[in-house]
């Protein structure tokens, strides 16, 4: 092989080798009393973690164009922008730091822009001229647990149920 | 319950204390293989970190026996192999490695010390290391990528999972005592006088290839990756077979990128345009890395490693050529492990992984030795047409 010696090495298969077959002493226990303390500590810390930290802010947004799902984007991490091509022109959606907002839109009244940032599950930004709906969902999955298409259509159609703002 | 992991002190008495390059190589092959096998299992979308960490079945005994430096070297080498052949993003490698550094170099010594004194068992050691690693990883991910306090809702689940995964790793160590024992004395090198030195390789092509490897890793851009693939397809023989054998890697990439990348939907409501682009990019990059790895392995100037005294570097280099065929054995003994567990055979549940890699290493070593003898014969003029070997041929 010549890794640390200039010539080839001789490898023995192991089991017949005296070093390999030398019995290794049973020396340590699988379980010691300190382990119980560790288990208890981690268990208590875990329960505290469940109680102390709860995920309430939305973790991703669903984007609907008309009655179709356009895409999904996580809202965690650094703030970044995506451009949504709508029928009235590109809408700039800013995502990150646990929220989303529309930065610019070619619509007339800019109510969607003035809606500001959404950051909680089921909160929405709606732009009627662009037929755009941005809805916060509770988990960063890729499709499950999201609002149904018909529900989204109702919201986009102007029911306004639970919407933060509607641009007319 | 008792276990059989000797510590440094006791290992010294058996004359088997130091990490050997061959031992490190075998441990790395097994650990990487276990890691790859685990990576192929589907993950829970919201809790992707919820994995057992099978490779710790090798890394934890390494820590308890050889200390934190050796364990961290093994962990780092395993991470490097995973990024090299698993096509993971660089951020995953950096966060994983940083978390490992904090865990092994911060807590490794106290854990190994407490274990040596009999205060801590393997169960406690496994849980402490799993908890620390997961905790550091959670904090680092949030500090560097997420930056959202809501992310800490994962503290409770991650601590609970650390308890479960640490205990599972400890149990697997208990069930794999015999195999782990063998790992500490895996392949013994005799002090036979060198009969024929492998011909030294010119370092130029290897260095150029290494720079190319760094470029491919750091620049995930089609403008770099596609021309590289075209060039490597011309340079590497058996390219189609090599890439075909790596199909599970590509499957893993599809799982990660194609179905879990946010963006505008392209097909149905699962595959996004961005996901297709990411999958294509990382697939080309992976193909590049696999082919370049094969090209490099035949050009490594082994005389360099001969000068190094680090068993970790020597072990890493020793194992590197065998990684091009990493997936097939990983899948095979993953299946065998599942079969044994299903049949209720707990003892020796990881034996297939250890045996498969031991056999491969021995076969490769014997092949290299045979070639070395041929090279010696060439130098003596008996077989003038045979080329000199450059190490283990993949």
């Amino acid at each position: 092989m010549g890794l640390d010696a200039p010539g080839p090495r001789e490898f023995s298969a192991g089991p017949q080798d005296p070093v390999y077959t030398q019995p290794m002493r049973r020396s340590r226990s699988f379980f010691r009393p300190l382990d119980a303390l560790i288990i208890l500590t981690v268990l208590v810390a875990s329960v505290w973690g469940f109680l102390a930290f709860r995920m309430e802010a939305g973790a991703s947004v669903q984007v609907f164009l008309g009655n179709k799902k356009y895409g999904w984007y996580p809202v965690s991490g650094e703030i970044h922008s995506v451009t949504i091509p709508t029928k009235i022109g590109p809408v700039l959606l800013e995502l990150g730091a646990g929220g989303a907002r529309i930065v610019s839109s070619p619509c007339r009244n800019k109510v969607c822009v003035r809606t500001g940032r959404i950051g909680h599950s089921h909160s929405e930004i709606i732009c009627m001229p662009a037929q755009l709906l941005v809805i916060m969902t509770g988990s960063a999955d890729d499709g499950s647990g999201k609002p149904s298409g018909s529900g989204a259509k109702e919201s986009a159609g102007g029911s306004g149920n639970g919407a933060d703002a509607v641009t007319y | 319950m008792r276990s059989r992991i000797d510590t440094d002190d006791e290992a010294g008495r058996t004359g088997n204390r130091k990490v050997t390059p061959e031992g490190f190589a075998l441990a790395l092959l097994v650990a990487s293989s276990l890691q790859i096998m685990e990576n192929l299992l589907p993950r829970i979308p919201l809790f992707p970190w919820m994995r057992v960490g099978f490779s710790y079945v090798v890394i934890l005994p390494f820590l308890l026996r050889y200390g934190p430096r050796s364990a961290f070297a093994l962990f780092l080498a395993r991470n490097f192999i995973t990024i090299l052949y698993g096509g993971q993003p660089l951020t995953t490698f950096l966060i994983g490695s940083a978390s490992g550094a904090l865990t092994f170099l911060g807590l490794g010594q106290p854990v190994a010390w407490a274990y040596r004194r009999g205060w801590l068992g393997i169960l406690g050691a496994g849980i402490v290391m799993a908890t620390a690693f997961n905790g550091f990883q959670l904090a680092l991910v949030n500090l560097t990528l997420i930056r959202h306090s809501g992310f800490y809702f994962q503290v409770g689940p991650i601590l609970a999972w650390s308890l479960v995964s640490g205990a599972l790793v400890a149990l697997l160590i208990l069930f794999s005592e015999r195999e782990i024992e063998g790992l500490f004395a895996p392949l013994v090198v005799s002090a036979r006088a060198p009969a024929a030195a492998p011909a030294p390789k010119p370092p130029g092509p290897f260095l150029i290839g290494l720079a190319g490897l760094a470029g491919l890793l750091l620049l995930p851009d089609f403008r770099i990756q596609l021309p590289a693939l075209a060039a490597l397809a011309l340079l590497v023989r058996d390219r189609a077979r090599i890439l075909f054998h790596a199909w599970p890697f590509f499957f893993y990439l599809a799982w990660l990128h194609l179905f879990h990348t946010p963006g505008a939907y392209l097909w149905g409501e699962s595959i996004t345009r961005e996901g297709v682009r990411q999958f294509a990019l990382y697939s080309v990059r992976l193909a590049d890395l696999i082919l370049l790895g094969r090209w490099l392995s035949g050009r490594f100037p082994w005389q360099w490693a001969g000068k190094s005294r680090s068993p970790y570097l020597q072990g890493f280099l020793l194992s590197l050529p065998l990684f091009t065929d990493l997936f097939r054995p990983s899948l095979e003994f993953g299946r065998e492990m599942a079969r044994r567990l299903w049949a209720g055979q707990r003892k020796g549940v990881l034996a297939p992984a250890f045996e498969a890699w031991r056999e491969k290493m021995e076969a490769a070593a014997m092949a290299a030795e045979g070639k070395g003898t041929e090279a010696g014969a060439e130098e003596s003029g008996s077989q003038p047409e045979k080329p000199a070997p450059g190490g283990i041929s993949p």
Side-chain angles (χ1 to χ4, degrees), chain A residues 1 3-4 6 8-9 11 13 20 24-25 28-30 32 34-35 46 53 69-72 74 77 142 146, chain B residues 2-3 6 22 65 115-116 118-119 121 145-146 152 156 185 196-197 259 263 265 269 305-306 314 362 365:
Chain A
M1 196 34 236
L3 280 183
D4 59 357
R9 289 174 158 185
F11 290 81
Y20 183 83
M24 298 177 86
R25 291 185 328 118
R28 301 296 168 203
S29 295
F30 175 79
R32 302 292 297 168
L34 191 58
D35 296 0
S46 172
F53 300 102
K69 288 182 180 177
Y70 172 77
W72 73 277
D142 58 353
K146 288 175 285 209
Chain B
R2 312 284 290 177
S3 83
D6 281 352
E22 293 77 19
R65 183 175 177 104
Y115 177 80
R116 268 202 299 272
W119 297 350
L145 298 177
I146 308 291
Y152 284 119
F259 298 109
Y265 292 126
E269 291 178 8
Q314 290 182 7
E362 285 165 358

Short mmCIF file of all heavy atoms in Angstrom, two decimals, chain A residues 1 3-4 6 8-9 11 13 20 24-25 28-30 32 34-35 46 53 69-72 74 77 142 146, chain B residues 2-3 6 22 65 115-116 118-119 121 145-146 152 156 185 196-197 259 263 265 269 305-306 314 362 365:
data_model
loop_
_atom_site.label_atom_id
_atom_site.label_comp_id
_atom_site.label_asym_id
_atom_site.label_seq_id
_atom_site.Cartn_x
_atom_site.Cartn_y
_atom_site.Cartn_z
N MET A 1 0.83 -1.20 0.00
CA MET A 1 0.00 0.00 0.00
C MET A 1 0.87 1.26 0.00
O MET A 1 0.55 2.24 -0.63
CB MET A 1 -0.86 -0.09 1.26
CG MET A 1 -2.07 0.80 1.40
SD MET A 1 -2.88 1.11 -0.10
CE MET A 1 -2.82 2.85 -0.04
N LEU A 3 1.57 3.53 2.41
CA LEU A 3 1.10 4.78 3.00
C LEU A 3 2.14 5.39 3.92
O LEU A 3 2.46 6.54 3.81
CB LEU A 3 -0.19 4.53 3.80
CG LEU A 3 -1.44 4.46 2.97
CD1 LEU A 3 -2.66 4.29 3.85
CD2 LEU A 3 -1.60 5.73 2.15
N ASP A 4 2.62 4.62 4.84
CA ASP A 4 3.63 5.18 5.72
C ASP A 4 4.92 4.37 5.66
O ASP A 4 5.78 4.52 6.49
CB ASP A 4 3.13 5.29 7.16
CG ASP A 4 2.74 3.95 7.71
OD1 ASP A 4 2.82 2.97 6.95
OD2 ASP A 4 2.39 3.87 8.88
N PRO A 6 7.72 2.71 2.69
CA PRO A 6 8.04 2.77 1.27
C PRO A 6 7.59 1.55 0.49
O PRO A 6 7.42 1.61 -0.71
CB PRO A 6 9.57 2.89 1.27
CG PRO A 6 10.01 2.38 2.61
CD PRO A 6 8.92 2.68 3.54
N PRO A 8 5.12 -2.25 0.08
CA PRO A 8 3.76 -2.72 0.32
C PRO A 8 3.60 -3.31 1.72
O PRO A 8 4.56 -3.77 2.31
CB PRO A 8 3.57 -3.80 -0.75
CG PRO A 8 4.94 -4.28 -1.04
CD PRO A 8 5.85 -3.11 -0.84
N ARG A 9 2.37 -3.28 2.19
CA ARG A 9 2.13 -3.78 3.54
C ARG A 9 1.53 -5.16 3.48
O ARG A 9 0.89 -5.53 2.52
CB ARG A 9 1.14 -2.85 4.25
CG ARG A 9 1.77 -1.56 4.57
CD ARG A 9 0.72 -0.66 5.13
NE ARG A 9 1.38 0.37 5.92
CZ ARG A 9 0.73 1.27 6.62
NH1 ARG A 9 -0.56 1.28 6.63
NH2 ARG A 9 1.38 2.17 7.31
N PHE A 11 -1.25 -7.28 5.11
CA PHE A 11 -2.43 -7.22 5.96
C PHE A 11 -2.80 -8.64 6.36
O PHE A 11 -2.90 -9.52 5.51
CB PHE A 11 -3.61 -6.60 5.21
CG PHE A 11 -3.43 -5.14 4.95
CD1 PHE A 11 -2.67 -4.69 3.89
CD2 PHE A 11 -4.02 -4.21 5.79
CE1 PHE A 11 -2.51 -3.34 3.66
CE2 PHE A 11 -3.86 -2.86 5.56
CZ PHE A 11 -3.10 -2.43 4.50
N ALA A 13 -5.73 -11.04 8.16
CA ALA A 13 -7.19 -10.97 8.17
C ALA A 13 -7.77 -10.65 9.53
O ALA A 13 -8.93 -10.37 9.65
CB ALA A 13 -7.77 -12.27 7.65
N TYR A 20 -5.54 -9.59 17.67
CA TYR A 20 -6.99 -9.56 17.47
C TYR A 20 -7.68 -10.53 18.42
O TYR A 20 -8.73 -10.25 18.97
CB TYR A 20 -7.31 -9.94 16.02
CG TYR A 20 -8.76 -9.88 15.69
CD1 TYR A 20 -9.37 -8.68 15.36
CD2 TYR A 20 -9.54 -11.03 15.74
CE1 TYR A 20 -10.71 -8.62 15.08
CE2 TYR A 20 -10.89 -10.98 15.45
CZ TYR A 20 -11.47 -9.78 15.12
OH TYR A 20 -12.81 -9.71 14.83
N MET A 24 -10.37 -9.02 25.22
CA MET A 24 -10.46 -7.69 25.81
C MET A 24 -11.30 -7.80 27.07
O MET A 24 -12.33 -8.46 27.08
CB MET A 24 -11.09 -6.73 24.80
CG MET A 24 -10.26 -6.60 23.56
SD MET A 24 -11.02 -5.55 22.34
CE MET A 24 -10.45 -3.98 22.88
N ARG A 25 -10.84 -7.15 28.09
CA ARG A 25 -11.49 -7.31 29.39
C ARG A 25 -12.86 -6.65 29.39
O ARG A 25 -13.06 -5.59 28.83
CB ARG A 25 -10.63 -6.66 30.47
CG ARG A 25 -9.36 -7.41 30.68
CD ARG A 25 -8.55 -6.87 31.83
NE ARG A 25 -8.65 -5.45 32.04
CZ ARG A 25 -9.12 -4.92 33.16
NH1 ARG A 25 -9.58 -5.67 34.12
NH2 ARG A 25 -9.14 -3.63 33.32
N ARG A 28 -16.28 -2.00 31.60
CA ARG A 28 -17.19 -0.91 31.97
C ARG A 28 -18.63 -1.36 31.86
O ARG A 28 -18.98 -2.24 31.10
CB ARG A 28 -16.96 0.29 31.08
CG ARG A 28 -15.58 0.84 31.12
CD ARG A 28 -15.24 1.37 32.49
NE ARG A 28 -13.82 1.64 32.61
CZ ARG A 28 -13.16 1.70 33.77
NH1 ARG A 28 -13.78 1.45 34.88
NH2 ARG A 28 -11.88 1.97 33.79
N SER A 29 -19.45 -0.68 32.59
CA SER A 29 -20.86 -1.04 32.59
C SER A 29 -21.63 -0.29 31.52
O SER A 29 -21.26 0.80 31.13
CB SER A 29 -21.46 -0.71 33.96
OG SER A 29 -20.88 -1.51 34.93
N PHE A 30 -22.67 -0.92 31.10
CA PHE A 30 -23.57 -0.25 30.18
C PHE A 30 -24.32 0.85 30.93
O PHE A 30 -24.55 1.93 30.39
CB PHE A 30 -24.55 -1.27 29.61
CG PHE A 30 -25.61 -0.68 28.73
CD1 PHE A 30 -25.32 -0.35 27.41
CD2 PHE A 30 -26.88 -0.45 29.22
CE1 PHE A 30 -26.29 0.20 26.60
CE2 PHE A 30 -27.85 0.10 28.41
CZ PHE A 30 -27.56 0.43 27.10
N ARG A 32 -24.62 3.04 34.62
CA ARG A 32 -24.07 3.43 35.92
C ARG A 32 -25.05 4.39 36.59
O ARG A 32 -25.90 4.99 35.92
CB ARG A 32 -22.71 4.11 35.76
CG ARG A 32 -21.65 3.30 35.06
CD ARG A 32 -21.20 2.11 35.86
NE ARG A 32 -20.55 2.52 37.11
CZ ARG A 32 -20.27 1.68 38.09
NH1 ARG A 32 -20.60 0.41 37.99
NH2 ARG A 32 -19.69 2.12 39.19
N LEU A 34 -24.83 7.35 37.57
CA LEU A 34 -24.83 8.71 37.02
C LEU A 34 -25.71 8.80 35.76
O LEU A 34 -26.26 9.86 35.45
CB LEU A 34 -23.39 9.14 36.69
CG LEU A 34 -23.18 10.61 36.36
CD1 LEU A 34 -23.62 11.52 37.49
CD2 LEU A 34 -21.71 10.88 36.03
N ASP A 35 -25.82 7.69 35.06
CA ASP A 35 -26.67 7.66 33.86
C ASP A 35 -28.12 8.00 34.20
O ASP A 35 -28.81 8.69 33.44
CB ASP A 35 -26.63 6.29 33.18
CG ASP A 35 -25.25 5.95 32.66
OD1 ASP A 35 -24.34 6.79 32.83
OD2 ASP A 35 -25.07 4.86 32.11
N SER A 46 -36.41 18.43 28.74
CA SER A 46 -37.28 18.24 27.58
C SER A 46 -38.70 18.71 27.89
O SER A 46 -39.32 19.43 27.10
CB SER A 46 -37.27 16.77 27.17
OG SER A 46 -38.22 16.54 26.19
N PHE A 53 -41.27 26.72 25.12
CA PHE A 53 -41.18 27.20 23.74
C PHE A 53 -42.33 26.65 22.91
O PHE A 53 -42.48 25.43 22.81
CB PHE A 53 -39.86 26.78 23.10
CG PHE A 53 -38.65 27.30 23.82
CD1 PHE A 53 -37.92 26.48 24.66
CD2 PHE A 53 -38.24 28.61 23.65
CE1 PHE A 53 -36.81 26.95 25.34
CE2 PHE A 53 -37.13 29.09 24.31
CZ PHE A 53 -36.41 28.26 25.17
N LYS A 69 -52.95 27.21 -6.92
CA LYS A 69 -51.82 27.35 -6.02
C LYS A 69 -50.59 27.65 -6.87
O LYS A 69 -50.27 26.90 -7.79
CB LYS A 69 -51.59 26.06 -5.25
CG LYS A 69 -52.64 25.79 -4.20
CD LYS A 69 -52.32 24.52 -3.45
CE LYS A 69 -53.39 24.25 -2.40
NZ LYS A 69 -53.14 22.99 -1.69
N TYR A 70 -49.93 28.75 -6.55
CA TYR A 70 -48.74 29.12 -7.32
C TYR A 70 -47.48 28.49 -6.75
O TYR A 70 -46.63 27.97 -7.47
CB TYR A 70 -48.60 30.65 -7.35
CG TYR A 70 -47.30 31.12 -7.97
CD1 TYR A 70 -47.14 31.12 -9.36
CD2 TYR A 70 -46.23 31.51 -7.18
CE1 TYR A 70 -45.95 31.53 -9.94
CE2 TYR A 70 -45.04 31.92 -7.75
CZ TYR A 70 -44.90 31.92 -9.13
OH TYR A 70 -43.72 32.30 -9.69
N GLY A 71 -47.32 28.54 -5.40
CA GLY A 71 -46.11 27.98 -4.79
C GLY A 71 -46.13 28.12 -3.30
O GLY A 71 -47.12 28.58 -2.71
N TRP A 72 -45.04 27.66 -2.67
CA TRP A 72 -44.90 27.81 -1.21
C TRP A 72 -43.49 28.26 -0.88
O TRP A 72 -42.55 27.91 -1.60
CB TRP A 72 -45.25 26.50 -0.50
CG TRP A 72 -44.21 25.43 -0.64
CD1 TRP A 72 -44.06 24.57 -1.69
CD2 TRP A 72 -43.16 25.11 0.28
NE1 TRP A 72 -42.99 23.74 -1.48
CE2 TRP A 72 -42.42 24.04 -0.28
CE3 TRP A 72 -42.78 25.62 1.53
CZ2 TRP A 72 -41.33 23.48 0.36
CZ3 TRP A 72 -41.69 25.04 2.17
CH2 TRP A 72 -40.99 23.99 1.59
N PRO A 74 -40.80 29.15 2.60
CA PRO A 74 -40.61 29.24 4.05
C PRO A 74 -40.36 30.69 4.46
O PRO A 74 -39.81 31.47 3.67
CB PRO A 74 -39.38 28.38 4.30
CG PRO A 74 -38.63 28.40 3.02
CD PRO A 74 -39.64 28.57 1.93
N GLY A 77 -35.40 32.17 8.44
CA GLY A 77 -34.10 32.51 7.86
C GLY A 77 -33.99 33.97 7.47
O GLY A 77 -34.78 34.82 7.89
N ASP A 142 -44.68 20.89 2.28
CA ASP A 142 -44.73 21.22 0.87
C ASP A 142 -46.11 21.04 0.27
O ASP A 142 -46.25 20.87 -0.91
CB ASP A 142 -43.74 20.36 0.10
CG ASP A 142 -44.02 18.89 0.28
OD1 ASP A 142 -44.89 18.54 1.10
OD2 ASP A 142 -43.39 18.08 -0.37
N LYS A 146 -52.39 22.60 4.01
CA LYS A 146 -52.56 23.95 3.52
C LYS A 146 -54.03 24.22 3.25
O LYS A 146 -54.82 23.29 3.13
CB LYS A 146 -51.74 24.14 2.24
CG LYS A 146 -50.26 24.19 2.53
CD LYS A 146 -49.46 24.25 1.28
CE LYS A 146 -49.45 22.92 0.63
NZ LYS A 146 -48.28 22.66 -0.15
N ARG B 2 -23.17 -5.38 31.06
CA ARG B 2 -21.76 -5.01 30.92
C ARG B 2 -21.44 -4.77 29.46
O ARG B 2 -22.05 -5.30 28.56
CB ARG B 2 -20.85 -6.14 31.43
CG ARG B 2 -21.26 -6.67 32.77
CD ARG B 2 -20.89 -5.75 33.89
NE ARG B 2 -19.44 -5.72 34.10
CZ ARG B 2 -18.87 -4.94 34.99
NH1 ARG B 2 -19.58 -4.12 35.69
NH2 ARG B 2 -17.56 -4.95 35.14
N SER B 3 -20.45 -3.97 29.23
CA SER B 3 -19.99 -3.78 27.86
C SER B 3 -18.50 -4.03 27.81
O SER B 3 -17.86 -4.19 28.84
CB SER B 3 -20.29 -2.37 27.39
OG SER B 3 -19.28 -1.52 27.85
N ASP B 6 -12.85 -1.13 25.93
CA ASP B 6 -11.71 -0.78 26.76
C ASP B 6 -11.38 0.69 26.57
O ASP B 6 -11.58 1.25 25.50
CB ASP B 6 -10.49 -1.61 26.35
CG ASP B 6 -10.57 -3.01 26.92
OD1 ASP B 6 -11.48 -3.23 27.74
OD2 ASP B 6 -9.75 -3.84 26.55
N GLU B 22 -5.19 1.71 9.45
CA GLU B 22 -6.14 0.70 8.96
C GLU B 22 -7.40 0.68 9.83
O GLU B 22 -8.51 0.56 9.34
CB GLU B 22 -5.49 -0.68 8.96
CG GLU B 22 -4.36 -0.84 7.96
CD GLU B 22 -3.06 -0.18 8.41
OE1 GLU B 22 -2.91 0.08 9.62
OE2 GLU B 22 -2.20 0.09 7.56
N ARG B 65 -12.57 5.07 23.86
CA ARG B 65 -11.31 4.34 23.86
C ARG B 65 -10.11 5.23 23.54
O ARG B 65 -9.09 5.17 24.21
CB ARG B 65 -11.37 3.20 22.87
CG ARG B 65 -10.11 2.37 22.87
CD ARG B 65 -10.24 1.18 21.96
NE ARG B 65 -9.00 0.44 21.92
CZ ARG B 65 -8.79 -0.70 22.54
NH1 ARG B 65 -9.74 -1.21 23.28
NH2 ARG B 65 -7.64 -1.32 22.44
N TYR B 115 -16.27 8.08 32.13
CA TYR B 115 -16.46 6.69 31.74
C TYR B 115 -15.31 5.83 32.24
O TYR B 115 -15.50 4.72 32.75
CB TYR B 115 -16.58 6.61 30.21
CG TYR B 115 -16.72 5.19 29.69
CD1 TYR B 115 -17.96 4.56 29.73
CD2 TYR B 115 -15.63 4.50 29.19
CE1 TYR B 115 -18.10 3.26 29.27
CE2 TYR B 115 -15.76 3.21 28.73
CZ TYR B 115 -16.99 2.59 28.77
OH TYR B 115 -17.12 1.31 28.32
N ARG B 116 -14.10 6.37 32.10
CA ARG B 116 -12.90 5.63 32.55
C ARG B 116 -12.96 5.34 34.04
O ARG B 116 -12.52 4.29 34.49
CB ARG B 116 -11.64 6.44 32.25
CG ARG B 116 -11.01 6.13 30.90
CD ARG B 116 -9.56 6.53 30.89
NE ARG B 116 -9.37 7.96 31.10
CZ ARG B 116 -9.38 8.86 30.12
NH1 ARG B 116 -9.59 8.47 28.88
NH2 ARG B 116 -9.20 10.14 30.38
N GLY B 118 -15.59 4.90 35.69
CA GLY B 118 -16.75 4.07 36.01
C GLY B 118 -17.93 4.86 36.55
O GLY B 118 -18.86 4.29 37.10
N TRP B 119 -17.88 6.18 36.42
CA TRP B 119 -19.01 6.97 36.90
C TRP B 119 -20.14 7.00 35.87
O TRP B 119 -21.29 7.19 36.20
CB TRP B 119 -18.57 8.42 37.16
CG TRP B 119 -17.54 8.54 38.23
CD1 TRP B 119 -17.14 7.54 39.10
CD2 TRP B 119 -16.78 9.69 38.58
NE1 TRP B 119 -16.17 8.00 39.94
CE2 TRP B 119 -15.92 9.33 39.65
CE3 TRP B 119 -16.71 10.98 38.10
CZ2 TRP B 119 -15.04 10.21 40.23
CZ3 TRP B 119 -15.83 11.88 38.69
CH2 TRP B 119 -15.00 11.50 39.75
N GLY B 121 -21.89 5.25 32.34
CA GLY B 121 -21.99 4.07 31.48
C GLY B 121 -22.11 4.49 30.03
O GLY B 121 -22.17 5.68 29.72
N LEU B 145 -28.81 30.50 10.31
CA LEU B 145 -29.75 30.38 9.19
C LEU B 145 -31.15 30.90 9.50
O LEU B 145 -31.75 31.60 8.70
CB LEU B 145 -29.85 28.91 8.75
CG LEU B 145 -28.58 28.25 8.22
CD1 LEU B 145 -28.84 26.80 7.90
CD2 LEU B 145 -28.09 28.97 6.97
N ILE B 146 -31.68 30.51 10.63
CA ILE B 146 -33.09 30.77 10.89
C ILE B 146 -33.31 32.16 11.48
O ILE B 146 -34.09 32.96 10.97
CB ILE B 146 -33.68 29.70 11.85
CG1 ILE B 146 -33.38 28.29 11.32
CG2 ILE B 146 -35.17 29.93 12.05
CD1 ILE B 146 -34.11 27.90 10.08
N TYR B 152 -37.12 27.93 18.47
CA TYR B 152 -36.78 27.20 19.69
C TYR B 152 -37.93 26.35 20.23
O TYR B 152 -37.79 25.70 21.25
CB TYR B 152 -36.28 28.17 20.76
CG TYR B 152 -34.86 28.62 20.48
CD1 TYR B 152 -34.56 29.95 20.27
CD2 TYR B 152 -33.83 27.70 20.43
CE1 TYR B 152 -33.27 30.35 19.98
CE2 TYR B 152 -32.54 28.09 20.15
CZ TYR B 152 -32.26 29.42 19.92
OH TYR B 152 -30.98 29.81 19.64
N GLY B 156 -37.95 21.22 23.15
CA GLY B 156 -38.56 20.08 23.83
C GLY B 156 -38.43 18.79 23.04
O GLY B 156 -37.87 17.81 23.54
N ALA B 185 -8.90 -3.73 16.56
CA ALA B 185 -7.71 -4.43 16.07
C ALA B 185 -8.05 -4.99 14.70
O ALA B 185 -8.06 -6.19 14.49
CB ALA B 185 -7.34 -5.55 17.02
N ALA B 196 9.09 -3.93 -2.62
CA ALA B 196 9.04 -3.08 -3.82
C ALA B 196 8.23 -1.84 -3.52
O ALA B 196 7.08 -1.91 -3.13
CB ALA B 196 8.38 -3.85 -4.96
N ALA B 197 8.84 -0.70 -3.65
CA ALA B 197 8.13 0.55 -3.39
C ALA B 197 7.29 0.93 -4.61
O ALA B 197 7.76 0.79 -5.74
CB ALA B 197 9.14 1.66 -3.11
N PHE B 259 -38.29 17.35 -3.92
CA PHE B 259 -39.59 17.35 -3.24
C PHE B 259 -39.64 18.27 -2.02
O PHE B 259 -40.67 18.37 -1.36
CB PHE B 259 -39.96 15.92 -2.82
CG PHE B 259 -40.12 14.99 -3.98
CD1 PHE B 259 -39.19 14.00 -4.23
CD2 PHE B 259 -41.19 15.13 -4.85
CE1 PHE B 259 -39.33 13.15 -5.32
CE2 PHE B 259 -41.33 14.29 -5.94
CZ PHE B 259 -40.40 13.30 -6.17
N GLY B 263 -40.83 27.12 -3.62
CA GLY B 263 -40.82 27.86 -4.88
C GLY B 263 -42.15 27.75 -5.59
O GLY B 263 -43.16 27.35 -5.01
N TYR B 265 -44.81 26.17 -8.01
CA TYR B 265 -45.12 24.79 -8.41
C TYR B 265 -44.93 24.59 -9.91
O TYR B 265 -45.30 25.43 -10.72
CB TYR B 265 -46.57 24.45 -8.04
CG TYR B 265 -46.80 24.35 -6.56
CD1 TYR B 265 -47.82 25.09 -5.96
CD2 TYR B 265 -46.04 23.51 -5.75
CE1 TYR B 265 -48.04 25.01 -4.59
CE2 TYR B 265 -46.25 23.43 -4.39
CZ TYR B 265 -47.26 24.17 -3.81
OH TYR B 265 -47.47 24.10 -2.47
N GLU B 269 -48.52 19.61 -6.81
CA GLU B 269 -48.30 20.51 -5.68
C GLU B 269 -47.15 20.01 -4.82
O GLU B 269 -47.17 20.14 -3.59
CB GLU B 269 -49.58 20.64 -4.87
CG GLU B 269 -50.65 21.40 -5.62
CD GLU B 269 -51.94 21.50 -4.84
OE1 GLU B 269 -51.95 21.10 -3.65
OE2 GLU B 269 -52.94 21.95 -5.42
N ALA B 305 1.70 10.65 1.60
CA ALA B 305 1.09 10.07 2.79
C ALA B 305 2.10 9.25 3.56
O ALA B 305 2.03 9.13 4.78
CB ALA B 305 -0.11 9.21 2.40
N GLY B 306 3.03 8.67 2.84
CA GLY B 306 4.09 7.90 3.48
C GLY B 306 4.90 8.77 4.43
O GLY B 306 5.40 8.30 5.44
N GLN B 314 -3.63 9.18 7.10
CA GLN B 314 -3.31 7.93 6.41
C GLN B 314 -4.55 7.05 6.26
O GLN B 314 -4.80 6.47 5.21
CB GLN B 314 -2.24 7.18 7.18
CG GLN B 314 -0.87 7.85 7.11
CD GLN B 314 0.18 7.05 7.85
OE1 GLN B 314 -0.06 5.94 8.30
NE2 GLN B 314 1.36 7.62 7.99
N GLU B 362 -9.53 -5.73 3.01
CA GLU B 362 -8.53 -6.79 2.88
C GLU B 362 -8.28 -7.14 1.41
O GLU B 362 -7.14 -7.31 0.99
CB GLU B 362 -8.98 -8.03 3.66
CG GLU B 362 -8.81 -7.85 5.15
CD GLU B 362 -9.56 -8.89 5.96
OE1 GLU B 362 -10.24 -9.74 5.35
OE2 GLU B 362 -9.47 -8.82 7.19
N ALA B 365 -6.32 -4.32 -0.04
CA ALA B 365 -4.94 -4.35 0.44
C ALA B 365 -4.14 -5.45 -0.25
O ALA B 365 -2.99 -5.25 -0.65
CB ALA B 365 -4.93 -4.56 1.95
#
